Amino acid sequence: MPAQPAELETDILIVGGGTGGVAAALAACEAGARVILTEEYAWLGGQLTSQAVPPDEHPWIEAYGATASYRRFRWGVREYYRRHYPLRGEVRADPHLNPGQGWVSALCHEPRVAVAVIDGLLAPYRADGQLTILTHHTPVAAEVDGDEVRAVTLQDETTGERITISARCVLDATELGDLLPLAGVDHVTGAESQQETGEPHAVDGAAQPLDQQAFTWCFAMDLLPGEDHTIEKPAMYDFWAEHRASFWPGPQLGWRDVDPETLQPRELGLFTRADRHDFWRYRRILAKDLYPAGRYRSDVTLVNWPMIDYWLGPLVGVSEDDKARHLEAARQLSRSFLYWMQTDAPRPEGGYGYPGLRLRGDLLDGVNGLAKAPYIRESRRLRAEFTVLEQHVGVEARGSAGEAAQFPDSVGIGSYRIDLHPSTAPRTYVDVSSYPFQIPLGALIPERMENLLPAAKNLGVTHITNGCYRLHPVEWNIGEVAGALAAWSIAHATTPRAIRNCDDQLSDFQQHLTDERGIELGWPAELRRIAR
């Protein structure tokens, strides 16, 4: 492949090829803009692929609460299995095919399948160079002129070479909001104080910028009874076997955890529940029973379980050495939990360990058998023209309103509980009910910068409301709108801020979103009052 020139120029630069970045690129390309999309890892898709997390979705996803392009992605995943996998006839015909039959999602699938579908969605725009994709690139600097980002410099992590890309509009779709500090964009990290936001579940006292949600290094495994696939004992196994957080009902390596909603101890077990709610079927990504008998020797399950949430330190606001240390400790935690399951986990029928558990790193293409990247739940967050608070979406905080706040500048919708995993304070779960909500355009407009937009989890939300705005279909919607907004502002010689703050321009843009992009701006009345 020819070397890239040291400088490039484009209409729209999207830094970060995760779930939001992919949606942004697709929207901008469909609007006719020239786009450069950069990504830290080899795979595009973020949560869906390199982080290996099947989509967390709301119960109405098949009919409401997703953009048309996200539905194309979901259809593409199912169609991939129908075309390429030897599904049984009645399974192939199921319009709601769930390839893994996991109970946490209606579409549990292998990350590689999502990679293929995403590559297919973007392929038409790569064919003529309208879209350029640079993988293994991370941002290292930004050139700013007043309130505009002129260019971003990125480093190729495989060669060490650097490239500077100038653009008319720049989108930050990184997992941790990495462009915000590089470009001097006002932002927030960690937990705001209750005194600042008035949110019932915000922390009392001073803000805690290092209080961030746990991240998780996921892995996949299958089970081959009678075989021994025990990995080498991890270096930190003894530490993790003995570690116990003050809010946890037992050792970190064990079957006992905390019910996120009630905060009461619970024990699901690997296979021990009579109903479907055990860990094996929780995020299962391949179900052998969907295929002719004997085709696959085992299911494959994706381990994104509470026991491997890492909350001993954050990734943002610490030194590079501390960040690297936390990442390695999280990898050690995940491998230690696998080793515990293989050797020390109590079996209900007696005895210990499941040595037949086999690490399926071949399905994830990461390091040491794990996913390529850690699953990130919380990013730096933009100081935006409008910030979504718990008072806008939380059931308790809404009081007698009976539904979420309705935003006149809505650019999409979503639904999920306010779901915060244990944090680096350390602090236990915050998991409370919310209503189906809207995404206000004001949350995508920086207080000051004119041509930079958030396109992932880094929009104007708080530590609390991030808990319901961070999920796959919502991040996709955010990214898609950012891409569409950037292209619209260029085509109409205006700015994102002007579009939001001029009634006529806002109305025209919202009409474009609904008519041309199939983006729903509001929930049906019969669903708005259903708390989750």
Side-chain angles (χ1 to χ4, degrees):
M1 180 178 177
Q4 288 286 350
E7 295 186 4
L8 292 174
E9 180 273 331
T10 189
D11 293 330
I12 300 171
L13 169 63
I14 304 169
V15 181
T19 303
V22 166
L26 189 61
C29 286
E30 289 176 344
R34 294 177 301 129
V35 177
I36 295 177
L37 173 65
T38 73
E39 165 56 24
E40 179 178 358
Y41 297 96
W43 288 354
L44 300 176
Q47 295 187 73
L48 293 162
T49 59
S50 57
Q51 298 175 31
V53 181
D56 288 300
E57 299 171 335
H58 54 75
W60 311 288
I61 193 68
E62 304 291 353
Y64 299 105
T67 75
S69 66
Y70 185 73
R71 294 192 191 285
R72 283 162 54 199
F73 166 77
R74 297 181 88 252
W75 178 88
V77 169
R78 286 170 169 154
E79 190 64 14
Y80 190 96
Y81 279 94
R82 293 187 183 108
R83 288 179 179 230
H84 300 291
Y85 281 63
L87 295 161
R88 299 199 323 268
E90 70 277 15
V91 174
R92 188 183 309 278
D94 182 1
H96 296 154
L97 169 65
N98 186 348
Q101 295 287 288
W103 56 264
V104 74
S105 170
L107 195 66
C108 284
H109 55 79
E110 298 161 70
R112 282 188 185 276
V113 173
V115 173
V117 174
I118 287 168
D119 286 347
L121 289 171
L122 297 176
Y125 309 102
R126 303 182 73 176
D128 63 353
Q130 180 187 355
L131 171 64
T132 298
I133 296 176
L134 303 178
T135 56
H136 301 292
H137 279 70
T138 56
V140 294
E143 178 186 336
V144 178
D145 182 7
D147 291 336
E148 292 193 354
V149 179
R150 296 297 188 188
V152 177
T153 298
L154 301 107
Q155 179 167 297
D156 186 331
E157 298 302 329
T158 61
T159 66
E161 297 177 352
R162 292 192 173 188
I163 185 170
T164 298
I165 304 172
S166 58
R168 299 171 69 180
C169 196
V170 177
L171 275 56
D172 184 349
T174 60
E175 298 298 329
L176 292 171
D178 293 331
L179 267 190
L180 301 182
L182 290 178
V185 180
D186 298 328
H187 63 277
V188 179
T189 64
E192 297 92 345
S193 72
Q194 192 174 82
Q195 287 70 22
E196 176 186 358
T197 67
E199 295 172 300
H201 291 90
V203 297
D204 196 14
Q208 299 180 22
L210 296 181
D211 181 3
Q212 300 162 26
Q213 275 199 75
F215 65 93
T216 303
W217 218 301
C218 303
F219 61 91
M221 63 183 185
D222 57 14
L223 177 61
L224 304 177
E227 299 183 10
D228 189 346
H229 294 278
T230 305
I231 64 172
E232 182 179 352
K233 182 179 178 180
M236 291 183 67
Y237 179 75
D238 291 337
F239 170 83
W240 287 117
E242 296 173 3
H243 180 72
R244 177 174 178 172
S246 61
F247 53 81
W248 212 246
Q252 184 97 15
L253 307 184
W255 294 130
R256 286 174 63 79
D257 71 332
V258 174
D259 183 290
E261 297 179 30
T262 67
L263 300 183
Q264 295 302 305
R266 68 175 184 181
E267 186 168 328
L268 295 185
L270 191 57
F271 304 110
T272 54
R273 291 288 293 267
D275 63 15
R276 67 191 183 116
H277 293 111
D278 57 29
F279 276 122
W280 185 259
R281 289 170 284 188
Y282 183 39
R283 292 186 183 271
R284 185 173 54 184
I285 57 176
L286 188 145
K288 67 177 183 177
D289 290 346
L290 300 186
Y291 302 90
R295 176 59 188 87
Y296 293 106
R297 292 201 290 163
S298 172
D299 298 336
V300 179
T301 195
L302 193 285
V303 180
N304 174 24
W305 304 345
M307 300 82 168
I308 60 170
D309 279 1
Y310 180 85
W311 53 66
L312 294 191
L315 298 179
V316 171
V318 296
S319 68
E320 287 300 312
D321 286 345
D322 282 346
K323 179 180 178 181
R325 179 169 55 84
H326 293 316
L327 289 169
E328 175 56 24
R331 283 189 287 263
Q332 286 282 323
L333 171 57
S334 294
R335 289 181 62 85
S336 293
F337 184 61
L338 171 63
Y339 184 78
W340 176 82
M341 288 192 290
Q342 292 172 324
T343 61
D344 293 334
R347 301 173 66 119
E349 71 275 18
Y352 295 89
Y354 298 85
L357 289 173
R358 179 175 61 163
L359 187 61
R360 294 300 307 274
D362 57 309
L363 298 181
L364 307 184
D365 199 31
V367 178
N368 295 324
L370 308 179
K372 284 180 174 293
Y375 174 33
I376 302 297
R377 296 184 177 88
E378 184 172 332
S379 170
R380 298 175 180 89
R381 301 182 299 280
L382 185 73
R383 285 202 180 275
E385 282 200 344
F386 183 85
T387 300
V388 181
L389 305 175
E390 183 181 357
Q391 295 93 309
H392 296 121
V393 298
V395 171
E396 176 186 335
R398 293 294 291 164
S400 61
E403 62 181 32
Q406 301 300 296
F407 300 126
D409 63 343
S410 174
V411 288
I413 58 177
S415 178
Y416 209 77
R417 290 178 63 83
I418 296 176
D419 174 11
L420 279 72
H421 282 232
S423 73
T424 55
R427 187 159 45 93
T428 192
Y429 291 95
V430 175
D431 193 312
V432 296
S433 293
S434 66
Y435 292 112
F437 53 82
Q438 295 174 314
I439 303 168
L441 182 56
L444 275 68
I445 308 298
E447 286 183 338
R448 181 175 55 84
M449 301 300 286
E450 295 296 339
N451 72 332
L452 181 142
L453 296 169
K457 296 181 287 289
N458 52 347
L459 75 165
V461 293
T462 65
H463 176 72
I464 298 298
T465 53
N466 165 74
C468 60
Y469 277 75
R470 66 180 176 81
L471 289 309
H472 304 64
V474 182
E475 182 180 336
W476 184 288
N477 192 324
I478 293 163
E480 181 173 350
V481 168
L485 181 62
W488 183 272
S489 66
I490 291 171
H492 291 80
T494 185
T495 66
R497 188 183 316 281
I499 293 169
R500 192 250 173 172
N501 291 297
C502 172
D503 290 345
D504 288 343
Q505 290 192 55
L506 175 61
S507 178
D508 288 346
F509 180 63
Q510 289 175 315
Q511 197 71 44
H512 167 72
L513 294 181
T514 57
D515 292 352
E516 304 298 327
R517 300 223 52 83
I519 294 179
E520 302 161 356
L521 305 187
W523 284 93
E526 65 270 20
L527 298 181
R528 291 210 307 251
R529 304 178 72 88
I530 299 179
R532 294 198 62 210

